[in-house]
Amino acid sequence: GKIIELNLKGAAMLGKERQRLINNLFGLYVSIGTRQAFNLFLGNIFKGKAIESCEVTISIADNEQPLYVLLTGHLSENSEHSLITLVDITKRKLAELALKESETKLRQLNVDKDRFISILGHDLKSPFNNILGFSEVLTEDIRKLNSDEIEDIAKNIYKSAKITNKLLEDILMWARTQQGRFPFKPLELSLADICKNVLEILNPTAFAKNITI
């Protein structure tokens, strides 16, 4: 595992002068996350005659971005040393990682879109049914209803429309937060008020089903 010889390019990749690297353990420059793979790679070289290869990351002092390196090695003719070539694949690896990140974001966007459509379909259906139900009664029976009954139905329509509008605003706000377009501003909230608002949304549907909350 010691560096016996290396060329100038290899020294540059490790970030030191060539002479200062001689007799250093190459594994010390391999990042901890890929050191086990490197040790296995080195062990396999000395076990047989086959050409071995592996990918590792090399950490260089004063460089935040590690190098992604492809190692290819085989035994020397006297079987006492290993001959290893290092190929800098950082650009390719970063491009692959960027592509994976883009794919992950795209999948998440699709999940958010499906969730958004599901919420719209489920949560808005109930208050719209209330509005349609009251409107239907008002349309069909307006000549049979007295002024108090008409006023009561009109109030229910207005209340349901107000609840639906608030619900839609909340859903749109949620969608903006999922896209990172809504600034995070923590506030103190009243849990009691939130519960009352939720009950206002649920009560008309519950009442229609003879359910008491």
Side-chain angles (χ1 to χ4, degrees):
K2 285 185 179 180
I3 299 171
I4 306 301
E5 294 179 30
L6 79 164
N7 60 16
L8 292 172
K9 182 66 176 176
M13 290 172 74
L14 297 179
K16 287 188 177 181
E17 294 178 8
R18 183 160 55 170
Q19 291 303 316
R20 292 180 61 190
L21 290 164
I22 302 301
N23 289 324
N24 284 358
L25 288 170
F26 180 80
L28 294 177
Y29 299 93
V30 177
S31 63
I32 294 174
T34 57
R35 198 168 290 173
Q36 185 176 353
F38 169 73
N39 291 333
L40 182 64
F41 158 77
L42 199 60
N44 287 338
I45 289 176
F46 284 97
K47 283 180 183 177
K49 302 288 184 179
I51 295 175
E52 298 288 335
S53 63
C54 78
E55 291 183 9
V56 299
T57 53
I58 294 176
S59 300
I60 302 173
D62 302 326
N63 192 347
E64 293 182 3
Q65 175 61 56
L67 283 181
Y68 291 88
V69 177
L70 173 65
L71 303 178
T72 305
H74 60 88
L75 276 177
S76 60
E77 290 182 3
N78 61 13
S79 299
E80 292 182 0
H81 305 109
S82 60
L83 305 174
I84 298 175
T85 59
L86 290 74
V87 179
D88 185 352
I89 58 170
T90 303
K91 286 184 179 180
R92 189 194 80 191
K93 204 69 182 176
L94 290 177
E96 288 177 1
L97 292 173
L99 182 61
K100 285 182 180 178
E101 186 179 356
S102 296
E103 289 175 350
T104 301
K105 286 182 178 178
L106 185 60
R107 280 195 294 269
Q108 186 59 47
L109 283 172
N110 283 329
V111 169
D112 291 342
K113 179 199 69 178
D114 292 342
R115 192 182 304 165
F116 179 67
I117 293 172
S118 175
I119 290 172
L120 279 177
H122 181 269
D123 289 5
L124 290 181
K125 186 176 180 180
S126 178
F128 267 118
N129 282 340
N130 290 331
I131 293 171
L132 290 171
F134 287 125
S135 299
E136 185 179 5
V137 171
L138 194 61
T139 303
E140 293 182 355
D141 300 331
I142 192 166
R143 298 185 186 281
K144 302 177 185 177
L145 301 171
N146 59 45
S147 58
D148 290 338
E149 290 172 328
I150 292 173
E151 183 180 353
D152 187 51
I153 291 173
K155 285 180 178 178
N156 280 319
I157 291 174
Y158 173 72
K159 186 178 180 181
S160 294
K162 192 175 179 182
I163 289 171
T164 305
N165 183 63
K166 179 65 172 66
L167 186 58
L168 181 58
E169 286 180 353
D170 289 344
I171 292 171
L172 292 174
M173 185 184 294
W174 172 82
R176 287 197 294 271
T177 61
Q178 295 301 108
Q179 297 170 2
R181 290 164 51 195
F182 195 82
F184 176 62
K185 293 180 181 178
L187 300 170
E188 288 188 5
L189 300 172
S190 166
L191 182 59
D193 289 341
I194 292 172
C195 291
K196 287 176 183 176
N197 290 335
V198 172
L199 287 175
E200 279 189 12
I201 295 172
L202 296 178
N203 269 328
T205 306
F207 180 76
K209 297 180 179 180
N210 293 320
I211 297 172
T212 302
I213 302 177

